[in-house]
Amino acid sequence: MRAFSHLFFSFLVILFAISCSDAFTRNDFPEEFLFGAATSAYQWEGAVDEDGRTPSVWDTFSHSYNRGNGDIACDGYHKYKEDVKLMAEMGLEAFRFSISWTRLIPKGRGHINPKGLLFYKNLIQELRTHGIKPHVTLYHYDLPQSLEDEYGGWINRKIIKDFTAFADVCFREFGDDVKLWTTINEANIFAIASYSEGFAPPGHCSPTSFFNCSTGNSSTEPYLAGHNMLLAHASASKLYKLEYKSKQRGSIGLSIYAFGLTPYSNSKEDEIATQRAKDFLFGWMLKPLVFGDYPDAMKRVWGSRLPVFSEEESEKVKGSSDFVGIIHYTTVYVRNSTSTTPSLIPRRQDFFTDMGAETIFMGNSTFFEWDFIPWGLESVLEYVKQSYNNPPIYILENGTPMKHSSTLQDTPRIEYIQAYIGAVLNAIKNGSDTRGYFVWSMIDVYELLSGYMYSYGMYHVNFSDPSLKRSPKLSASWYTGFLNGTMDVSPQDITQMQSHFSGSSSL
Ligand SMILES: *[C@@H]1O[C@H](CO)[C@@H](O)[C@H](O)[C@H]1NC(C)=O
Ligand SMILES: *[C@@H]1O[C@H](CO)[C@@H](O)[C@H](O)[C@H]1NC(C)=O
Ligand SMILES: *[C@@H]1O[C@H](CO)[C@@H](O)[C@H](O)[C@H]1NC(C)=O
Ligand SMILES: *[C@@H]1O[C@H](CO)[C@@H](O)[C@H](O)[C@H]1NC(C)=O
Ligand SMILES: *[C@@H]1O[C@H](CO)[C@@H](O)[C@H](O)[C@H]1NC(C)=O
Ligand SMILES: *[C@@H]1O[C@H](CO)[C@@H](O)[C@H](O)[C@H]1NC(C)=O
């Protein structure tokens, strides 16, 4: 009898599993997998000229355009306790944030600012008290302006020494409590956006480009900056391994921005162009980190514009990342291009002309709103697994923007996050060593491309309210339900949640 009921029960379980084959919970992921959400210093902290902080290139850059700035942002500098409480209420297991270099070391090197130090110690302590693990990014677009002025920042090798000294202070002061370090945020797109296209700080590009950069050379600087980033990362990583790792037991990685890439047509040209785009966009950073040198395709195209690793540097870069940080939002088509391909933007030699391919949004996607293509994330994770020896991966940003003024009932965001977490689970089941997933963003912040027009937060911030009131969006309670394991995620659940949502649906 007992055996029979046991059998019957198993049968029910199987039936249930089949009928809900799409559904999954937090418990389908390994226990040590980390689910969190992210922000960065300039986008969240505000208080840009308080307590000794000096300007970074991002301050300068945002003040030269009419898209808002991070002077106040979410005022996280003063409201960190309130925000950590919100994180705890949401059930976050981890919080990814970055350290403002000029808050900690106002002149870029040398003197440590005690108030800056105290802020980060307090923030980390507050997270620990609430059982939330910190994931710290050292560099998130905010170079000390003084170093940019002094020697040109990332295009000069002097950055390696200064960055390593900054990292040293962070490891020494925070490393007992921080076990996960990312050296540089989305290094590949940082080099492209900041030194080829000019739309991210410090805004360098060749003249005649879309943005009127006051300085730069789009055919040389991105590669120089990228090279120095790899060397600076490797130098900080080496220091960590020599001086800190044995007692602090953390890990350190570099992060890249990874579009899903898929051929525009089934032509051989587009297929080859897609492979080339993977080499240029991902292999540029990953091949040196894993194998010690740049992809051959890049060496052929860049020729003498590509810096060369000495044997010693190659050895230092190779194996310097304990994990790969992946920042993923959407998937684009790749089409082969030639110098005669018509283009909206006046042509100049830059990263994309070197790549010989252009990226085209799929479906109804635009710069600020995109289609949901979860298999694109799965394909990125598969590609990294298969091409780069299956390194540990943390997905450090994933999310979708909506007009900031739209609604607290952000159902599309829930659908997006749920589908993409499902894609991560698929990749893990097929052998990917992915160990964490962070939603961008924990709270509405100042955005690099869209200022305050579009936001990604699971908490809404009323930026016109002097108290910068925070309110949970529907996505925050969805994440809570997913993380506390009480919710099987499936579309029906979202509908049910929507009808129970107590927040006002319009803003
Ligand atoms: C960029 O640098 C290269 C190599 O030094 C040079 O040939 C080219 O003219 C420069 N381009 C611009 C736009 O300054
Ligand atoms: C760049 O400068 C040109 C000429 O001064 C001007 O027509 C154009 O609108 C400027 N572009 C931007 C993006 O500011
Ligand atoms: C593809 O791009 C390459 C490099 O830009 C070019 O040489 C080639 O002619 C292109 N192929 C086609 C079919 O346009
Ligand atoms: C699963 O992994 C195997 C081995 O790496 C690979 O050949 C296969 O294409 C992967 N499947 C999917 C759906 O990506
Ligand atoms: C935001 O705050 C302003 C000023 O306090 C207030 O007038 C407005 O109604 C608030 N907006 C929302 C959506 O709560
Ligand atoms: C889990 O999260 C859901 C959704 O936010 C909430 O209603 C429920 O009370 C939570 N349960 C526990 C045990 O925390």
Side-chain angles (χ1 to χ4, degrees):
M1 189 63 201
R2 232 188 107 177
F4 177 77
S5 65
H6 184 79
L7 204 69
F8 182 65
F9 181 66
S10 308
F11 175 68
L12 276 185
V13 168
I14 290 166
L15 252 190
F16 183 73
I18 292 170
S19 66
C20 311
S21 60
D22 283 351
F24 55 87
T25 72
R26 165 70 181 93
N27 304 325
D28 291 312
F29 288 81
E31 200 181 322
E32 60 282 5
F33 190 93
L34 279 184
F35 278 100
T39 64
S40 90
Y42 185 67
Q43 297 173 274
W44 173 63
E45 287 176 10
V48 291
D49 53 8
E50 268 180 69
D51 292 346
R53 182 188 181 278
T54 64
S56 74
V57 294
W58 202 346
D59 296 67
T60 311
F61 184 77
S62 65
H63 278 270
S64 66
Y65 287 95
N66 197 14
R67 285 195 301 265
N69 57 61
D71 287 1
I72 299 172
C74 311
D75 198 22
Y77 185 69
H78 296 112
K79 293 182 178 296
Y80 71 95
K81 283 193 179 172
E82 179 183 344
D83 286 349
V84 172
K85 191 157 166 279
L86 299 179
M87 293 173 212
E89 279 166 19
M90 198 172 11
L92 288 194
E93 300 163 6
F95 176 52
R96 171 179 179 246
F97 61 96
S98 74
I99 291 185
S100 159
W101 188 335
T102 55
R103 198 182 289 293
L104 190 63
I105 306 175
K107 295 208 170 87
R109 72 170 80 84
H111 171 72
I112 298 171
N113 174 17
K115 289 189 172 160
L117 188 62
L118 186 64
F119 170 66
Y120 292 109
K121 290 214 157 167
N122 286 343
L123 169 60
I124 291 165
Q125 185 53 45
E126 197 68 14
L127 290 166
R128 275 176 58 89
T129 306
H130 288 86
I132 299 168
K133 296 196 166 74
H135 185 126
V136 173
T137 305
L138 293 173
Y139 187 81
H140 202 116
Y141 286 107
D142 54 355
L143 186 79
Q145 183 65 46
S146 58
L147 301 185
E148 177 76 13
D149 295 342
E150 183 185 322
Y151 57 73
W154 287 99
I155 57 175
N156 192 310
R157 289 178 79 96
K158 288 183 181 164
I159 190 68
I160 300 167
K161 189 164 170 243
D162 286 336
F163 178 77
T164 307
F166 162 56
D168 192 18
V169 174
C170 295
F171 299 149
R172 189 177 68 230
E173 298 292 342
F174 313 126
D176 288 340
D177 296 321
V178 174
K179 304 300 162 199
L180 290 164
W181 297 97
T182 294
T183 50
I184 299 169
N185 179 59
E186 55 187 21
N188 56 343
I189 220 73
F190 166 37
I192 295 169
S194 299
Y195 296 96
S196 172
E197 310 307 304
F199 62 76
H204 288 204
C205 60
S206 295
T208 76
S209 56
F210 186 60
F211 288 93
N212 292 322
C213 303
S214 57
T215 175
N217 184 331
S218 300
S219 73
T220 54
E221 286 191 359
Y223 313 126
L224 210 51
H227 196 70
N228 290 335
M229 286 176 208
L230 285 164
L231 294 174
H233 156 84
S235 167
S237 169
K238 185 177 174 199
L239 173 75
Y240 186 72
K241 280 165 192 169
L242 283 177
E243 303 279 326
Y244 298 99
K245 191 166 176 146
S246 66
K247 45 183 197 297
Q248 298 183 346
R249 304 193 173 280
S251 44
I252 183 164
L254 183 81
S255 82
I256 63 165
Y257 181 101
F259 281 122
L261 298 172
T262 194
Y264 182 70
S265 75
N266 56 17
S267 72
K268 199 77 198 153
E269 285 79 19
D270 287 351
E271 201 179 294
I272 295 170
T274 305
Q275 189 48 52
R276 198 163 61 239
K278 287 179 182 171
D279 275 340
F280 271 67
L281 286 165
F282 314 149
W284 179 19
M285 299 290 158
L286 296 184
K287 189 117 189 281
L289 292 178
V290 178
F291 301 109
D293 200 5
Y294 291 117
D296 291 337
M298 300 197 96
K299 292 198 212 172
R300 269 198 303 277
V301 172
W302 290 348
S304 65
R305 288 179 291 134
L306 183 63
V308 176
F309 291 113
S310 72
E311 213 163 294
E312 193 197 336
E313 286 167 349
S314 162
E315 278 308 308
K316 211 166 150 186
V317 170
K318 186 175 160 180
S320 61
S321 234
D322 297 325
F323 62 84
V324 173
I326 294 285
I327 290 174
H328 177 89
Y329 289 98
T330 191
T331 293
V332 292
Y333 288 124
V334 179
R335 185 163 65 185
N336 193 38
S337 66
T338 62
S339 48
T340 57
T341 306
S343 159
L344 285 174
I345 303 169
R347 276 283 153 214
R348 62 183 159 194
Q349 189 176 20
D350 70 4
F351 184 88
F352 291 100
T353 52
D354 281 344
M355 190 166 87
E358 56 187 328
T359 54
I360 302 169
F361 284 122
M362 298 177 92
N364 298 316
S365 299
T366 66
F367 263 112
F368 298 128
E369 293 180 43
W370 42 73
D371 290 352
F372 300 174
I373 309 159
W375 57 260
L377 175 54
E378 201 176 328
S379 72
V380 165
L381 298 176
E382 269 301 323
Y383 164 79
V384 175
K385 179 189 92 177
Q386 292 181 26
S387 306
Y388 297 101
N389 295 344
N390 198 13
I393 291 177
Y394 285 89
I395 295 159
L396 295 177
E397 290 179 23
N398 179 240
T400 194
M402 291 173 67
K403 279 216 174 71
H404 182 256
S405 57
S406 57
T407 171
L408 291 176
Q409 202 161 320
D410 56 347
T411 309
R413 176 168 293 117
I414 299 175
E415 287 165 354
Y416 176 99
I417 295 172
Q418 170 172 309
Y420 277 76
I421 291 178
V424 176
L425 186 57
N426 289 343
I428 291 174
K429 284 183 174 157
N430 200 41
S432 166
D433 191 6
T434 302
R435 299 182 181 186
Y437 172 92
F438 292 75
V439 173
W440 183 270
S441 46
M442 184 265 147
I443 187 169
D444 292 342
V445 297
Y446 171 66
E447 286 294 337
L448 176 63
L449 299 181
S450 59
Y452 295 105
M453 286 281 291
Y454 283 83
S455 57
Y456 296 67
M458 292 186 286
Y459 274 85
H460 176 266
V461 177
N462 182 347
F463 291 108
S464 17
D465 178 355
S467 75
L468 298 167
K469 183 169 185 289
R470 278 83 159 127
S471 315
K473 299 183 195 177
L474 190 58
S475 53
S477 46
W478 177 87
Y479 209 33
T480 308
F482 170 68
L483 292 177
N484 72 20
T486 59
M487 201 193 306
D488 254 347
V489 298
S490 65
Q492 298 88 297
D493 289 327
I494 300 179
T495 320
Q496 218 173 52
M497 274 188 76
Q498 237 172 322
S499 58
H500 292 139
F501 186 53
S502 55
S504 73
S505 59
S506 61
L507 284 172

